[in-house]
Amino acid sequence: MRLIERYLFRQFLGPTLLATLALIALALLARSLAEFDVLIEQRQTAMVFFKIIALALPQLLGMILPIALFVATLVALNRLHTEQEIVVCFAGGMSRWRVISPAVRLAVVATLISLGMSLWVAPWSSRAIRETFFDIKSDLASTLVRPGEFTEPGPGLTVYAQTIDRDEVIHNLFIHQEKANGGAITYTAREGVIVQRKGLPVLILRKGSNQEFSSAGVLQYLSWDEYTFDLSALFQSDELLHYKIGDRYPHELFFPDLTQEWEQHNRVKLLSEGHWRLASPLYNLAMMSMALAAVIGGPFSRMGYGKRIAAVGAAAAVVQILGFGVKAACDNDVWLNLLQYAVPLGAIWWGLAQIFRQKVNRYIAIGHHDLMTPLGAR
């Protein structure tokens, strides 16, 4: 890039980075509020909470980047035009393409980043999030006991605990278990902890006692310093981790395993998601071209470009909404996937058509006045 083009590129890059960071911070804040029950309800550590928030970043970036490009380009272009730097570029003999090429280069870089995120990084992060939530769901400590509440983690089993400290030690534990033969047994312990023995989960109860009513109504009482309560039968589950459509890699979307019943029934949705992964990065170019058209795609105005920017901003919102609507419609019809590419490509064509539809009027400044006179009039 030449000197002026490098200068213009920096003018676009700075606001884009700031807008991206601001929107990411806002999106992460909203996501953190939605996932706050991981700390409260599931009693997971702060490390698990921040891991989930960080893994959501690639998915958020794909949605945020086109919006950040659009907003940052409007801000940068409006300032450059207001300060007449764009006019000076035209007066110096630069073509429209040379003026907008730094912005287009930035949009291409953003498109490539979005494509990489969409095809590989986002599915990986989505899988990691799902695996994390699966591990949380399988966490015995959070499933078995909730401090200050009576819970029923299994049929015929009632559990109560007063508190659970940071070391996962359960204090003042009460367990009531009904047996299949009609009997019942009650355990009370000063403290307990869930551990693994021979690969199986057990609850170690300390300093407690148990009372058992036999089916004949006989009460048996026993106190002990330590007792092992087997949890393996209670928490045996056949549930397997299943990756949803958004968690699949491109080859799994375009070439599903049709021997699997689930993938047979969802083949159209898998193809729709695959085409969306390829088409969605084009919205970076679409939003950039529309932002350029809002300022450069019309005559020079000393009064500003508020009306054009507002109109193009509304059109950009319509394009984004239309894209999501087409994506939803493609879940039911394979042939509609062509529209997933047509929407952003149409927006790109419209923006470029607005920019290049008229000839460049070359201007020069006369003295120190703000008066601009066409070169051909001198």
PDB file of all heavy atoms in Angstrom, residues 38-69:
ATOM      1  N   VAL A  38     -24.077 -21.349  36.986  1.00  0.00           N
ATOM      2  CA  VAL A  38     -23.016 -22.351  37.114  1.00  0.00           C
ATOM      3  C   VAL A  38     -22.303 -22.197  38.450  1.00  0.00           C
ATOM      4  O   VAL A  38     -21.910 -23.180  39.086  1.00  0.00           O
ATOM      5  CB  VAL A  38     -22.013 -22.219  35.946  1.00  0.00           C
ATOM      6  CG1 VAL A  38     -20.790 -23.103  36.168  1.00  0.00           C
ATOM      7  CG2 VAL A  38     -22.694 -22.578  34.632  1.00  0.00           C
ATOM      8  N   LEU A  39     -22.147 -20.948  38.896  1.00  0.00           N
ATOM      9  CA  LEU A  39     -21.511 -20.699  40.193  1.00  0.00           C
ATOM     10  C   LEU A  39     -22.474 -20.919  41.344  1.00  0.00           C
ATOM     11  O   LEU A  39     -22.093 -21.474  42.386  1.00  0.00           O
ATOM     12  CB  LEU A  39     -20.979 -19.264  40.245  1.00  0.00           C
ATOM     13  CG  LEU A  39     -19.769 -18.932  39.369  1.00  0.00           C
ATOM     14  CD1 LEU A  39     -19.476 -17.443  39.440  1.00  0.00           C
ATOM     15  CD2 LEU A  39     -18.555 -19.736  39.797  1.00  0.00           C
ATOM     16  N   ILE A  40     -23.735 -20.498  41.160  1.00  0.00           N
ATOM     17  CA  ILE A  40     -24.680 -20.515  42.280  1.00  0.00           C
ATOM     18  C   ILE A  40     -25.368 -21.868  42.420  1.00  0.00           C
ATOM     19  O   ILE A  40     -25.301 -22.512  43.473  1.00  0.00           O
ATOM     20  CB  ILE A  40     -25.722 -19.389  42.098  1.00  0.00           C
ATOM     21  CG1 ILE A  40     -25.015 -18.024  42.077  1.00  0.00           C
ATOM     22  CG2 ILE A  40     -26.760 -19.436  43.211  1.00  0.00           C
ATOM     23  CD1 ILE A  40     -25.923 -16.870  41.801  1.00  0.00           C
ATOM     24  N   GLU A  41     -26.032 -22.298  41.351  1.00  0.00           N
ATOM     25  CA  GLU A  41     -26.821 -23.529  41.425  1.00  0.00           C
ATOM     26  C   GLU A  41     -25.948 -24.779  41.374  1.00  0.00           C
ATOM     27  O   GLU A  41     -26.155 -25.731  42.122  1.00  0.00           O
ATOM     28  CB  GLU A  41     -27.841 -23.564  40.285  1.00  0.00           C
ATOM     29  CG  GLU A  41     -28.874 -22.445  40.339  1.00  0.00           C
ATOM     30  CD  GLU A  41     -29.814 -22.602  41.520  1.00  0.00           C
ATOM     31  OE1 GLU A  41     -30.005 -23.738  41.981  1.00  0.00           O
ATOM     32  OE2 GLU A  41     -30.360 -21.576  41.986  1.00  0.00           O
ATOM     33  N   GLN A  42     -24.955 -24.771  40.456  1.00  0.00           N
ATOM     34  CA  GLN A  42     -24.132 -25.963  40.274  1.00  0.00           C
ATOM     35  C   GLN A  42     -22.895 -25.988  41.169  1.00  0.00           C
ATOM     36  O   GLN A  42     -22.182 -26.998  41.178  1.00  0.00           O
ATOM     37  CB  GLN A  42     -23.697 -26.061  38.806  1.00  0.00           C
ATOM     38  CG  GLN A  42     -24.843 -26.071  37.817  1.00  0.00           C
ATOM     39  CD  GLN A  42     -25.706 -27.304  37.939  1.00  0.00           C
ATOM     40  OE1 GLN A  42     -25.263 -28.333  38.449  1.00  0.00           O
ATOM     41  NE2 GLN A  42     -26.950 -27.215  37.479  1.00  0.00           N
ATOM     42  N   ARG A  43     -22.618 -24.866  41.852  1.00  0.00           N
ATOM     43  CA  ARG A  43     -21.495 -24.785  42.791  1.00  0.00           C
ATOM     44  C   ARG A  43     -20.161 -25.140  42.135  1.00  0.00           C
ATOM     45  O   ARG A  43     -19.325 -25.825  42.719  1.00  0.00           O
ATOM     46  CB  ARG A  43     -21.739 -25.672  44.008  1.00  0.00           C
ATOM     47  CG  ARG A  43     -22.988 -25.353  44.770  1.00  0.00           C
ATOM     48  CD  ARG A  43     -22.986 -26.010  46.144  1.00  0.00           C
ATOM     49  NE  ARG A  43     -22.545 -27.377  46.133  1.00  0.00           N
ATOM     50  CZ  ARG A  43     -23.321 -28.411  45.877  1.00  0.00           C
ATOM     51  NH1 ARG A  43     -24.597 -28.233  45.605  1.00  0.00           N
ATOM     52  NH2 ARG A  43     -22.846 -29.631  45.903  1.00  0.00           N
ATOM     53  N   GLN A  44     -19.966 -24.682  40.910  1.00  0.00           N
ATOM     54  CA  GLN A  44     -18.698 -24.896  40.245  1.00  0.00           C
ATOM     55  C   GLN A  44     -17.715 -23.783  40.608  1.00  0.00           C
ATOM     56  O   GLN A  44     -18.096 -22.728  41.126  1.00  0.00           O
ATOM     57  CB  GLN A  44     -18.904 -24.951  38.729  1.00  0.00           C
ATOM     58  CG  GLN A  44     -19.816 -26.076  38.277  1.00  0.00           C
ATOM     59  CD  GLN A  44     -19.268 -27.448  38.637  1.00  0.00           C
ATOM     60  OE1 GLN A  44     -18.091 -27.747  38.383  1.00  0.00           O
ATOM     61  NE2 GLN A  44     -20.116 -28.285  39.233  1.00  0.00           N
ATOM     62  N   THR A  45     -16.465 -24.011  40.310  1.00  0.00           N
ATOM     63  CA  THR A  45     -15.433 -23.041  40.638  1.00  0.00           C
ATOM     64  C   THR A  45     -15.451 -21.876  39.638  1.00  0.00           C
ATOM     65  O   THR A  45     -16.028 -21.963  38.553  1.00  0.00           O
ATOM     66  CB  THR A  45     -14.045 -23.698  40.611  1.00  0.00           C
ATOM     67  OG1 THR A  45     -13.772 -24.158  39.274  1.00  0.00           O
ATOM     68  CG2 THR A  45     -14.011 -24.888  41.565  1.00  0.00           C
ATOM     69  N   ALA A  46     -14.801 -20.797  40.039  1.00  0.00           N
ATOM     70  CA  ALA A  46     -14.701 -19.643  39.149  1.00  0.00           C
ATOM     71  C   ALA A  46     -13.934 -19.992  37.883  1.00  0.00           C
ATOM     72  O   ALA A  46     -14.195 -19.432  36.812  1.00  0.00           O
ATOM     73  CB  ALA A  46     -14.021 -18.479  39.879  1.00  0.00           C
ATOM     74  N   MET A  47     -13.004 -20.948  37.971  1.00  0.00           N
ATOM     75  CA  MET A  47     -12.241 -21.355  36.802  1.00  0.00           C
ATOM     76  C   MET A  47     -13.149 -21.974  35.748  1.00  0.00           C
ATOM     77  O   MET A  47     -13.013 -21.691  34.544  1.00  0.00           O
ATOM     78  CB  MET A  47     -11.158 -22.365  37.209  1.00  0.00           C
ATOM     79  CG  MET A  47     -10.230 -22.759  36.081  1.00  0.00           C
ATOM     80  SD  MET A  47      -9.233 -21.376  35.487  1.00  0.00           S
ATOM     81  CE  MET A  47      -8.178 -21.108  36.921  1.00  0.00           C
ATOM     82  N   VAL A  48     -14.096 -22.796  36.172  1.00  0.00           N
ATOM     83  CA  VAL A  48     -15.048 -23.397  35.228  1.00  0.00           C
ATOM     84  C   VAL A  48     -15.929 -22.321  34.610  1.00  0.00           C
ATOM     85  O   VAL A  48     -16.210 -22.340  33.406  1.00  0.00           O
ATOM     86  CB  VAL A  48     -15.904 -24.455  35.951  1.00  0.00           C
ATOM     87  CG1 VAL A  48     -16.986 -24.996  35.021  1.00  0.00           C
ATOM     88  CG2 VAL A  48     -15.027 -25.590  36.446  1.00  0.00           C
ATOM     89  N   PHE A  49     -16.354 -21.367  35.419  1.00  0.00           N
ATOM     90  CA  PHE A  49     -17.205 -20.281  34.928  1.00  0.00           C
ATOM     91  C   PHE A  49     -16.485 -19.463  33.853  1.00  0.00           C
ATOM     92  O   PHE A  49     -17.029 -19.223  32.769  1.00  0.00           O
ATOM     93  CB  PHE A  49     -17.603 -19.390  36.102  1.00  0.00           C
ATOM     94  CG  PHE A  49     -18.367 -18.161  35.706  1.00  0.00           C
ATOM     95  CD1 PHE A  49     -19.706 -18.245  35.352  1.00  0.00           C
ATOM     96  CD2 PHE A  49     -17.742 -16.922  35.705  1.00  0.00           C
ATOM     97  CE1 PHE A  49     -20.410 -17.102  35.000  1.00  0.00           C
ATOM     98  CE2 PHE A  49     -18.442 -15.786  35.356  1.00  0.00           C
ATOM     99  CZ  PHE A  49     -19.773 -15.875  34.995  1.00  0.00           C
ATOM    100  N   PHE A  50     -15.247 -19.053  34.126  1.00  0.00           N
ATOM    101  CA  PHE A  50     -14.502 -18.255  33.158  1.00  0.00           C
ATOM    102  C   PHE A  50     -14.113 -19.082  31.927  1.00  0.00           C
ATOM    103  O   PHE A  50     -13.971 -18.533  30.823  1.00  0.00           O
ATOM    104  CB  PHE A  50     -13.251 -17.665  33.812  1.00  0.00           C
ATOM    105  CG  PHE A  50     -13.557 -16.541  34.764  1.00  0.00           C
ATOM    106  CD1 PHE A  50     -13.268 -16.651  36.109  1.00  0.00           C
ATOM    107  CD2 PHE A  50     -14.162 -15.378  34.305  1.00  0.00           C
ATOM    108  CE1 PHE A  50     -13.560 -15.617  36.986  1.00  0.00           C
ATOM    109  CE2 PHE A  50     -14.456 -14.335  35.174  1.00  0.00           C
ATOM    110  CZ  PHE A  50     -14.153 -14.457  36.520  1.00  0.00           C
ATOM    111  N   LYS A  51     -13.955 -20.376  32.095  1.00  0.00           N
ATOM    112  CA  LYS A  51     -13.678 -21.236  30.946  1.00  0.00           C
ATOM    113  C   LYS A  51     -14.854 -21.234  29.976  1.00  0.00           C
ATOM    114  O   LYS A  51     -14.675 -21.132  28.753  1.00  0.00           O
ATOM    115  CB  LYS A  51     -13.394 -22.666  31.435  1.00  0.00           C
ATOM    116  CG  LYS A  51     -13.200 -23.675  30.312  1.00  0.00           C
ATOM    117  CD  LYS A  51     -13.025 -25.074  30.860  1.00  0.00           C
ATOM    118  CE  LYS A  51     -12.925 -26.098  29.732  1.00  0.00           C
ATOM    119  NZ  LYS A  51     -12.806 -27.494  30.271  1.00  0.00           N
ATOM    120  N   ILE A  52     -16.081 -21.324  30.511  1.00  0.00           N
ATOM    121  CA  ILE A  52     -17.274 -21.311  29.664  1.00  0.00           C
ATOM    122  C   ILE A  52     -17.400 -19.973  28.942  1.00  0.00           C
ATOM    123  O   ILE A  52     -17.715 -19.915  27.744  1.00  0.00           O
ATOM    124  CB  ILE A  52     -18.522 -21.597  30.510  1.00  0.00           C
ATOM    125  CG1 ILE A  52     -18.473 -23.030  31.055  1.00  0.00           C
ATOM    126  CG2 ILE A  52     -19.798 -21.387  29.699  1.00  0.00           C
ATOM    127  CD1 ILE A  52     -19.576 -23.347  32.034  1.00  0.00           C
ATOM    128  N   ILE A  53     -17.148 -18.877  29.650  1.00  0.00           N
ATOM    129  CA  ILE A  53     -17.251 -17.552  29.044  1.00  0.00           C
ATOM    130  C   ILE A  53     -16.203 -17.381  27.949  1.00  0.00           C
ATOM    131  O   ILE A  53     -16.487 -16.851  26.858  1.00  0.00           O
ATOM    132  CB  ILE A  53     -17.098 -16.455  30.110  1.00  0.00           C
ATOM    133  CG1 ILE A  53     -18.182 -16.601  31.185  1.00  0.00           C
ATOM    134  CG2 ILE A  53     -17.166 -15.090  29.476  1.00  0.00           C
ATOM    135  CD1 ILE A  53     -19.588 -16.576  30.640  1.00  0.00           C
ATOM    136  N   ALA A  54     -14.971 -17.830  28.215  1.00  0.00           N
ATOM    137  CA  ALA A  54     -13.909 -17.693  27.212  1.00  0.00           C
ATOM    138  C   ALA A  54     -14.189 -18.538  25.981  1.00  0.00           C
ATOM    139  O   ALA A  54     -13.916 -18.119  24.841  1.00  0.00           O
ATOM    140  CB  ALA A  54     -12.565 -18.083  27.831  1.00  0.00           C
ATOM    141  N   LEU A  55     -14.739 -19.731  26.169  1.00  0.00           N
ATOM    142  CA  LEU A  55     -15.031 -20.602  25.031  1.00  0.00           C
ATOM    143  C   LEU A  55     -16.171 -20.062  24.171  1.00  0.00           C
ATOM    144  O   LEU A  55     -16.304 -20.442  23.007  1.00  0.00           O
ATOM    145  CB  LEU A  55     -15.388 -22.006  25.532  1.00  0.00           C
ATOM    146  CG  LEU A  55     -14.223 -22.825  26.092  1.00  0.00           C
ATOM    147  CD1 LEU A  55     -14.732 -24.116  26.724  1.00  0.00           C
ATOM    148  CD2 LEU A  55     -13.206 -23.140  25.003  1.00  0.00           C
ATOM    149  N   ALA A  56     -16.989 -19.183  24.731  1.00  0.00           N
ATOM    150  CA  ALA A  56     -18.081 -18.586  23.945  1.00  0.00           C
ATOM    151  C   ALA A  56     -17.584 -17.481  23.026  1.00  0.00           C
ATOM    152  O   ALA A  56     -18.333 -17.039  22.142  1.00  0.00           O
ATOM    153  CB  ALA A  56     -19.157 -18.040  24.875  1.00  0.00           C
ATOM    154  N   LEU A  57     -16.339 -17.028  23.199  1.00  0.00           N
ATOM    155  CA  LEU A  57     -15.824 -15.895  22.442  1.00  0.00           C
ATOM    156  C   LEU A  57     -15.797 -16.132  20.929  1.00  0.00           C
ATOM    157  O   LEU A  57     -16.204 -15.242  20.169  1.00  0.00           O
ATOM    158  CB  LEU A  57     -14.435 -15.531  22.953  1.00  0.00           C
ATOM    159  CG  LEU A  57     -13.752 -14.322  22.312  1.00  0.00           C
ATOM    160  CD1 LEU A  57     -14.616 -13.079  22.495  1.00  0.00           C
ATOM    161  CD2 LEU A  57     -12.376 -14.094  22.912  1.00  0.00           C
ATOM    162  N   PRO A  58     -15.321 -17.286  20.423  1.00  0.00           N
ATOM    163  CA  PRO A  58     -15.311 -17.466  18.956  1.00  0.00           C
ATOM    164  C   PRO A  58     -16.693 -17.381  18.324  1.00  0.00           C
ATOM    165  O   PRO A  58     -16.841 -16.825  17.225  1.00  0.00           O
ATOM    166  CB  PRO A  58     -14.711 -18.870  18.787  1.00  0.00           C
ATOM    167  CG  PRO A  58     -13.897 -19.093  20.012  1.00  0.00           C
ATOM    168  CD  PRO A  58     -14.660 -18.410  21.109  1.00  0.00           C
ATOM    169  N   GLN A  59     -17.717 -17.906  18.985  1.00  0.00           N
ATOM    170  CA  GLN A  59     -19.070 -17.819  18.431  1.00  0.00           C
ATOM    171  C   GLN A  59     -19.568 -16.382  18.428  1.00  0.00           C
ATOM    172  O   GLN A  59     -20.222 -15.945  17.471  1.00  0.00           O
ATOM    173  CB  GLN A  59     -20.003 -18.703  19.246  1.00  0.00           C
ATOM    174  CG  GLN A  59     -19.558 -20.162  19.326  1.00  0.00           C
ATOM    175  CD  GLN A  59     -20.399 -20.961  20.303  1.00  0.00           C
ATOM    176  OE1 GLN A  59     -21.600 -20.804  20.369  1.00  0.00           O
ATOM    177  NE2 GLN A  59     -19.758 -21.828  21.066  1.00  0.00           N
ATOM    178  N   LEU A  60     -19.265 -15.636  19.491  1.00  0.00           N
ATOM    179  CA  LEU A  60     -19.697 -14.248  19.556  1.00  0.00           C
ATOM    180  C   LEU A  60     -18.963 -13.387  18.535  1.00  0.00           C
ATOM    181  O   LEU A  60     -19.546 -12.469  17.948  1.00  0.00           O
ATOM    182  CB  LEU A  60     -19.461 -13.702  20.963  1.00  0.00           C
ATOM    183  CG  LEU A  60     -20.252 -14.365  22.097  1.00  0.00           C
ATOM    184  CD1 LEU A  60     -19.792 -13.837  23.437  1.00  0.00           C
ATOM    185  CD2 LEU A  60     -21.740 -14.139  21.920  1.00  0.00           C
ATOM    186  N   LEU A  61     -17.688 -13.683  18.308  1.00  0.00           N
ATOM    187  CA  LEU A  61     -16.898 -12.872  17.389  1.00  0.00           C
ATOM    188  C   LEU A  61     -17.450 -12.947  15.970  1.00  0.00           C
ATOM    189  O   LEU A  61     -17.447 -11.947  15.242  1.00  0.00           O
ATOM    190  CB  LEU A  61     -15.435 -13.327  17.414  1.00  0.00           C
ATOM    191  CG  LEU A  61     -14.441 -12.466  16.632  1.00  0.00           C
ATOM    192  CD1 LEU A  61     -14.418 -11.055  17.194  1.00  0.00           C
ATOM    193  CD2 LEU A  61     -13.054 -13.081  16.685  1.00  0.00           C
ATOM    194  N   GLY A  62     -17.933 -14.127  15.565  1.00  0.00           N
ATOM    195  CA  GLY A  62     -18.481 -14.258  14.226  1.00  0.00           C
ATOM    196  C   GLY A  62     -19.700 -13.382  14.001  1.00  0.00           C
ATOM    197  O   GLY A  62     -19.923 -12.889  12.887  1.00  0.00           O
ATOM    198  N   MET A  63     -20.506 -13.162  15.035  1.00  0.00           N
ATOM    199  CA  MET A  63     -21.684 -12.300  14.909  1.00  0.00           C
ATOM    200  C   MET A  63     -21.343 -10.828  15.086  1.00  0.00           C
ATOM    201  O   MET A  63     -21.995  -9.958  14.501  1.00  0.00           O
ATOM    202  CB  MET A  63     -22.730 -12.720  15.951  1.00  0.00           C
ATOM    203  CG  MET A  63     -23.284 -14.122  15.749  1.00  0.00           C
ATOM    204  SD  MET A  63     -24.589 -14.523  16.922  1.00  0.00           S
ATOM    205  CE  MET A  63     -23.670 -14.575  18.460  1.00  0.00           C
ATOM    206  N   ILE A  64     -20.312 -10.542  15.877  1.00  0.00           N
ATOM    207  CA  ILE A  64     -19.994  -9.165  16.213  1.00  0.00           C
ATOM    208  C   ILE A  64     -19.177  -8.480  15.128  1.00  0.00           C
ATOM    209  O   ILE A  64     -19.361  -7.285  14.853  1.00  0.00           O
ATOM    210  CB  ILE A  64     -19.241  -9.135  17.556  1.00  0.00           C
ATOM    211  CG1 ILE A  64     -20.206  -9.426  18.699  1.00  0.00           C
ATOM    212  CG2 ILE A  64     -18.518  -7.821  17.767  1.00  0.00           C
ATOM    213  CD1 ILE A  64     -19.523  -9.593  20.028  1.00  0.00           C
ATOM    214  N   LEU A  65     -18.274  -9.203  14.477  1.00  0.00           N
ATOM    215  CA  LEU A  65     -17.321  -8.577  13.565  1.00  0.00           C
ATOM    216  C   LEU A  65     -17.979  -7.794  12.425  1.00  0.00           C
ATOM    217  O   LEU A  65     -17.558  -6.657  12.129  1.00  0.00           O
ATOM    218  CB  LEU A  65     -16.367  -9.648  13.022  1.00  0.00           C
ATOM    219  CG  LEU A  65     -15.021  -9.147  12.485  1.00  0.00           C
ATOM    220  CD1 LEU A  65     -14.337  -8.236  13.496  1.00  0.00           C
ATOM    221  CD2 LEU A  65     -14.125 -10.320  12.147  1.00  0.00           C
ATOM    222  N   PRO A  66     -19.007  -8.315  11.729  1.00  0.00           N
ATOM    223  CA  PRO A  66     -19.643  -7.492  10.681  1.00  0.00           C
ATOM    224  C   PRO A  66     -20.239  -6.194  11.221  1.00  0.00           C
ATOM    225  O   PRO A  66     -20.135  -5.139  10.573  1.00  0.00           O
ATOM    226  CB  PRO A  66     -20.729  -8.423  10.118  1.00  0.00           C
ATOM    227  CG  PRO A  66     -20.283  -9.797  10.454  1.00  0.00           C
ATOM    228  CD  PRO A  66     -19.574  -9.676  11.763  1.00  0.00           C
ATOM    229  N   ILE A  67     -20.861  -6.272  12.397  1.00  0.00           N
ATOM    230  CA  ILE A  67     -21.447  -5.060  12.990  1.00  0.00           C
ATOM    231  C   ILE A  67     -20.351  -4.067  13.358  1.00  0.00           C
ATOM    232  O   ILE A  67     -20.488  -2.853  13.128  1.00  0.00           O
ATOM    233  CB  ILE A  67     -22.279  -5.433  14.224  1.00  0.00           C
ATOM    234  CG1 ILE A  67     -23.386  -6.421  13.838  1.00  0.00           C
ATOM    235  CG2 ILE A  67     -22.879  -4.195  14.875  1.00  0.00           C
ATOM    236  CD1 ILE A  67     -24.152  -6.962  15.017  1.00  0.00           C
ATOM    237  N   ALA A  68     -19.252  -4.568  13.924  1.00  0.00           N
ATOM    238  CA  ALA A  68     -18.146  -3.682  14.291  1.00  0.00           C
ATOM    239  C   ALA A  68     -17.547  -3.020  13.055  1.00  0.00           C
ATOM    240  O   ALA A  68     -17.215  -1.824  13.084  1.00  0.00           O
ATOM    241  CB  ALA A  68     -17.080  -4.473  15.043  1.00  0.00           C
ATOM    242  N   LEU A  69     -17.396  -3.765  11.972  1.00  0.00           N
ATOM    243  CA  LEU A  69     -16.880  -3.185  10.731  1.00  0.00           C
ATOM    244  C   LEU A  69     -17.793  -2.076  10.220  1.00  0.00           C
ATOM    245  O   LEU A  69     -17.339  -1.017   9.794  1.00  0.00           O
ATOM    246  CB  LEU A  69     -16.738  -4.278   9.671  1.00  0.00           C
ATOM    247  CG  LEU A  69     -15.452  -5.110   9.677  1.00  0.00           C
ATOM    248  CD1 LEU A  69     -15.561  -6.221   8.658  1.00  0.00           C
ATOM    249  CD2 LEU A  69     -14.243  -4.244   9.382  1.00  0.00           C
TER     250      LEU A  69
END
